[in-house]
Amino acid sequence: MNEKTIFSELPEEIKAKLQELNIITPTKVQEQIIPQILECKNIVFQSETGTGKTFAYLLPILKKIMELPVPQNPSDIFVKALICAPTFELASQINQAAKSISSIKTALFIGGAPVKRQIETLKEKPEIVIGTPARLVELIRLKKLKVSKAMFAVFDEADRLVKKELMDELKALKEVLPEKIQYIACTATVDNSTKKFFKDSSLEIMPEEDVLKRNISHWAIYAENRDKIETLRKFINAENPGKALIFTSRSDQVENIYSKLKFKKIDCMALHAKTDKQERKAAIDKFRSGKAKILVTSDLSARGLDIQNITHVIQMDLPSDQDFFVHRSGRTARAGKTGINIVIGDEYEMNQYALLEKKLGIKVYPKEIRDGKVCEPIL
């Protein structure tokens, strides 16, 4: 299948929705994976952050569901796809992604929300259910979520799902799924645990696209710790980012950065571990829609936060874990777009950034804010 064929063979409704989202050409992972899913293969695929993994499995699943005969009797409508994600945020984003390209009814089931309300939602006959493993297992065991006729089981961020803290729930979910269901798993990194759990699935490792090097410009802005938030304020006023995601490692700093920006009349939203689920959803929805251009967050959103058109990622500290740096940076330049990653750091962090520059093979450009503009430093 060539690029044109992959999207041209989709149902008209999906094609129209993709056009509205300005998604015209399949990404490499979509080009490679969509045909294999349509051929009913059990598959685990690895592809870098921001390469379009979610649509790589959603598009063929939706196509197959939409091509089925429409039941005349509502009682004949059944759950056709079950999508499992490790976190509330990711499950919610997958739900949003499915709704953005199809009118197929979906439902979101996550822990922490009232079970009774979710059972009521099942009475609306969703065809795609998305949720965290423990809640999905609970609803199946209560015989409220019936999956005996389900065609697809998807495991997003499979590397996190197979970690020790979720493994028991994942095994329990696999045990209650029908034997002939098609397994689809995706991740940015396939490890041995992932291979072992999905040993009966074919493995597809996508070539690295070097998104971090090719599509992201990396900037460094020096600031002493006490001056960082004021430097951030000056940067926002100078750069006027289209959509900026601001990261800090410490949850308590999220509120501090947020309140100081608000005091300076900069419109922004905040998201951290103590934010309750409704506030968290409201913040993400407002940021996603563009009603809020700036979202301040801790590292809970560094993975799985798939929001289109983030132009700038601003890191208010340099995480000790290289993976966090990569996942933070990868929130911009998604699906072939370009973006800017900025670290605002003190002398120690600038030295660490220089080491990371060599290790990751990226090019970091020093910047400073002068006369209300982002400029090259004066040597």
Side-chain angles (χ1 to χ4, degrees):
M1 274 186 161
N2 57 37
E3 283 188 359
K4 185 180 177 183
T5 310
I6 289 168
F7 277 6
S8 65
E9 289 190 354
L10 294 170
E12 291 301 321
E13 179 194 343
I14 295 178
K15 284 196 285 188
K17 297 274 189 182
L18 288 173
Q19 291 239 330
E20 285 173 23
L21 295 169
N22 200 29
I23 298 171
I24 311 299
T25 308
T27 64
K28 288 177 183 175
V29 68
Q30 290 160 8
E31 188 180 11
Q32 188 78 10
I33 299 303
I34 287 173
Q36 296 190 56
I37 293 175
L38 290 173
E39 289 166 10
C40 303
K41 284 186 181 177
N42 290 337
I43 188 167
V44 178
F45 63 96
Q46 173 184 300
S47 187
E48 288 174 90
T49 293
T51 50
K53 292 189 290 293
T54 306
F55 280 171
Y57 65 74
L58 276 180
L59 289 171
I61 286 172
L62 288 166
K63 172 179 162 63
K64 283 206 162 190
I65 291 173
M66 292 173 82
E67 288 173 348
L68 293 171
V70 178
Q72 298 304 308
N73 191 334
S75 63
D76 293 332
I77 298 171
F78 58 90
V79 170
K80 299 175 180 72
L82 183 140
I83 302 173
C84 181
T87 64
F88 164 80
E89 283 79 20
L90 181 56
S92 181
Q93 283 155 203
I94 296 164
N95 190 39
Q96 291 285 341
K99 287 178 181 296
S100 73
I101 54 170
S102 164
S103 57
I104 296 287
K105 192 168 285 186
T106 67
L108 181 64
F109 300 120
I110 44 92
V115 177
K116 284 185 180 177
R117 195 179 300 162
Q118 294 181 353
I119 290 170
E120 287 300 308
T121 302
L122 283 166
K123 292 177 183 176
E124 296 170 15
K125 299 287 187 180
E127 294 184 77
I128 298 175
V129 296
I130 303 146
T132 47
R135 182 50 57 92
L136 291 172
V137 170
E138 183 180 3
L139 289 166
I140 293 168
R141 285 179 172 163
L142 287 169
K143 297 189 175 5
K144 300 299 180 182
L145 172 54
K146 296 179 173 67
V147 293
S148 60
K149 295 182 180 178
M151 302 156 61
F152 308 97
V154 179
F155 301 86
D156 203 321
E157 286 203 358
D159 61 322
R160 294 185 76 185
L161 287 168
V162 298
K163 290 282 188 288
K164 190 166 67 173
E165 58 269 22
L166 288 174
M167 180 57 94
D168 287 347
E169 291 149 358
L170 193 65
K171 284 179 179 174
L173 180 58
K174 197 173 182 184
E175 283 171 9
V176 293
L177 292 175
E179 196 175 318
K180 291 186 178 177
I181 200 164
Q182 182 179 352
Y183 281 91
I184 301 158
C186 65
T187 176
T189 47
V190 170
D191 56 16
N192 287 331
S193 298
T194 311
K195 289 176 186 174
K196 187 177 176 182
F197 190 83
F198 297 100
K199 63 181 185 296
D200 296 327
S201 300
S202 62
L203 179 62
E204 192 77 44
I205 307 285
M206 296 299 297
E208 287 190 14
E209 295 183 31
D210 285 336
V211 172
L212 210 63
K213 296 179 195 174
R214 294 182 186 175
N215 296 5
I216 301 174
S217 298
H218 299 275
W219 295 358
I221 298 176
Y222 171 80
E224 292 292 344
N225 201 47
R226 64 180 177 273
D227 300 324
K228 281 187 176 186
I229 298 176
E230 178 59 15
T231 302
L232 171 65
R233 181 196 68 78
K234 288 178 180 176
F235 176 81
I236 290 168
N237 286 337
E239 183 75 1
N240 190 24
K243 190 179 279 191
L245 190 57
I246 300 168
F247 280 109
T248 175
S249 296
R250 289 168 45 199
S251 285
D252 60 334
Q253 271 294 92
V254 173
E255 198 62 38
N256 187 31
I257 295 166
Y258 168 75
S259 58
K260 287 184 177 176
L261 290 181
K262 291 290 278 187
F263 181 74
K264 295 290 186 177
K265 304 288 189 292
I266 291 175
D267 186 32
C268 58
M269 303 290 290
L271 189 70
H272 52 77
K274 292 178 183 175
T275 311
D276 73 40
K277 284 188 170 62
Q278 282 188 324
E279 288 176 344
R280 195 153 61 197
K281 185 178 184 303
I284 290 172
D285 288 350
K286 197 171 178 185
F287 184 57
R288 179 180 277 112
S289 69
K291 289 177 183 174
K293 288 169 63 177
I294 297 167
L295 180 65
V296 186
T297 184
S298 58
D299 281 310
L300 69 92
S301 295
R303 292 192 60 161
L305 191 62
D306 190 5
I307 291 174
Q308 297 297 313
N309 304 320
I310 292 175
T311 56
H312 297 69
V313 167
I314 305 168
Q315 307 196 36
M316 297 297 288
D317 47 41
L318 203 60
S320 54
D321 188 328
Q322 176 185 308
D323 285 347
F324 275 119
F325 174 84
V326 172
H327 286 297
R328 282 178 175 187
S329 306
R331 298 310 103 201
T332 188
R334 298 180 79 78
K337 292 188 170 64
T338 57
I340 300 170
N341 169 55
I342 306 100
V343 174
I344 298 176
D346 58 18
E347 186 176 356
Y348 174 76
E349 287 167 320
M350 290 295 105
N351 288 333
Q352 294 301 113
Y353 200 9
L355 294 174
L356 206 52
E357 179 182 21
K358 289 179 184 174
K359 196 171 180 183
L360 295 173
I362 58 177
K363 176 69 177 170
V364 175
Y365 297 91
K367 301 285 180 181
E368 63 182 38
I369 299 136
R370 198 168 61 249
D371 302 325
K373 294 179 182 176
V374 180
C375 312
E376 305 292 326
I378 298 173
L379 299 175

